[in-house]
Amino acid sequence: MIGNKIVQCVPNFSEGRDSEKIEKIIDTLRGRDGVKLLDYSSDKDHNRTVVTLVGEPSALKETILAFMAVAVENIDLREHKGQHPRMGAVDVVPFIPIKNVTMDEAILLSREVAEEASARFNLPIFLYEKSAVNPSRENLAVIRKGEFEGMEDKLKLEEWKPDFGPAAPHKTAGVTAVGARMPLVAFNVNLDTPNLQIADAIAKKVRHVGGGLRFCKAMGVTLEERNITQVSMNMTDYTKTALYRSFELIKIEARRYGVSVVGSEIVGMLPMQALIDCAEYYLGIENFSSDQILENKLME
């Protein structure tokens, strides 16, 4: 049973191929008082698993620490290879306020988890997004640049001293980022080409740092089993950059290479409004209100 104060947590860990190992880590999240596991999704190409759970702040804190203990023990990044950038066994742990919890409370929870995890596991931890003490560390991509293999040299630099823990990466578990943020939508668009250079070029045009959409991070990824590529995106504020905008921009940019979009996917969970915005756009619905959705009325 979950109480009246609800926080969402979406930890990402660096294992997406070994089902036995994945289930061992996920088992730490099952059957806990005050916490509910909503979803987890593993990707073999990314070699990564994304988890979604919700809970009361105190129960969620203890659950995440138990989860991290098993992930740190069972994942060795020296043997890890995948399409998705990573710097840690538990790569990132974001907290999102959902119900009767302020962003300040989510920030406090993230800092408590970061401090205790660093002490328990001798793990360097950076605070990011809303939790960042240093504004230059708000962007996860900046923190993760260099990935696991480059962290030993990076952490020697004074400007990259971790917020908590030792100034050297954990031998097998690397470095973790913990923070509080707005709801994020992991949205991927598939292209009918195996040419990764094309996917990378399109991603550069779509993401904010390349002059694209303000609340979009993007990279090209190879889906080897399907012999196609993908523009893999994190939509960091779907209320300001809607999913359909990135989808349409990718189609526009793909045309110059004679490439077509062949599908898309959502990784993990997302707010219903993110899909309602797309339905409104593609159906050309005028003066639509979320009050018109039957399920919303039933949940009131």
Side-chain angles (χ1 to χ4, degrees), residues 265-289:
E265 66 175 346
I266 300 291
V267 179
M269 305 190 76
L270 78 166
M272 180 168 59
Q273 188 60 47
L275 292 181
I276 292 173
D277 291 343
C278 294
E280 284 187 75
Y281 174 77
Y282 286 111
L283 297 178
I285 302 174
E286 297 180 6
N287 304 315
F288 182 76
S289 168

Side-chain angles (χ1 to χ4, degrees), residues 131-288:
S131 301
V133 178
N134 185 335
S136 66
R137 297 181 179 182
E138 290 180 10
N139 189 334
L140 178 61
V142 173
I143 295 174
R144 197 159 51 197
K145 187 175 182 181
E147 299 192 46
F148 171 70
E149 290 77 9
M151 283 296 141
E152 184 171 359
D153 289 336
K154 187 171 185 174
L155 267 58
K156 290 177 182 177
L157 302 173
E158 182 61 30
E159 63 267 31
W160 284 107
K161 180 181 178 182
D163 293 290
F164 297 104
H170 187 285
K171 185 177 180 181
T172 58
V175 181
T176 296
V178 178
R181 60 163 173 77
M182 284 281 291
L184 175 150
V185 180
F187 179 47
N188 303 330
V189 176
N190 298 335
L191 307 171
D192 65 349
T193 175
N195 190 330
L196 182 59
Q197 288 184 324
I198 292 176
D200 278 335
I202 294 170
K204 287 177 182 177
K205 295 292 191 303
V206 172
R207 65 192 182 214
H208 179 237
V209 294
L213 301 168
R214 174 61 184 86
F215 295 98
C216 176
K217 299 177 181 179
M219 60 179 284
V221 172
T222 298
L223 303 185
E224 293 182 0
E225 289 187 358
R226 298 176 61 181
N227 196 35
I228 61 174
T229 52
Q230 178 184 86
V231 178
S232 178
M233 295 176 288
N234 280 342
M235 308 299 292
T236 58
D237 190 342
Y238 72 92
T239 67
K240 295 177 180 176
T241 299
L243 304 191
Y244 66 79
R245 290 181 186 153
S246 62
F247 188 72
E248 291 298 324
L249 184 53
I250 288 170
K251 289 199 294 185
I252 290 169
E253 291 297 332
R255 286 192 197 115
R256 73 171 73 195
Y257 302 101
V259 169
S260 297
V261 168
V262 293
S264 66
E265 66 175 346
I266 300 291
V267 179
M269 305 190 76
L270 78 166
M272 180 168 59
Q273 188 60 47
L275 292 181
I276 292 173
D277 291 343
C278 294
E280 284 187 75
Y281 174 77
Y282 286 111
L283 297 178
I285 302 174
E286 297 180 6
N287 304 315
F288 182 76

Side-chain angles (χ1 to χ4, degrees), residues 4 12 27 30-31 37-39 48 92 94 97 120 134 142 146 163 165 206 233 255 267 274 289 293 297:
N4 199 38
N12 290 210
D27 276 345
R30 295 185 170 108
L37 174 63
L38 299 180
D39 180 73
R48 187 179 186 87
V92 59
R120 282 195 195 185
N134 185 335
V142 173
D163 293 290
V206 172
M233 295 176 288
R255 286 192 197 115
V267 179
S289 168
I293 296 174
K297 285 295 183 182

Side-chain angles (χ1 to χ4, degrees), residues 110-126:
S110 71
R111 291 177 178 174
E112 288 176 353
V113 169
E115 184 173 17
E116 190 155 342
S118 68
R120 282 195 195 185
F121 314 126
N122 195 33
L123 185 67
I125 294 181
F126 288 109

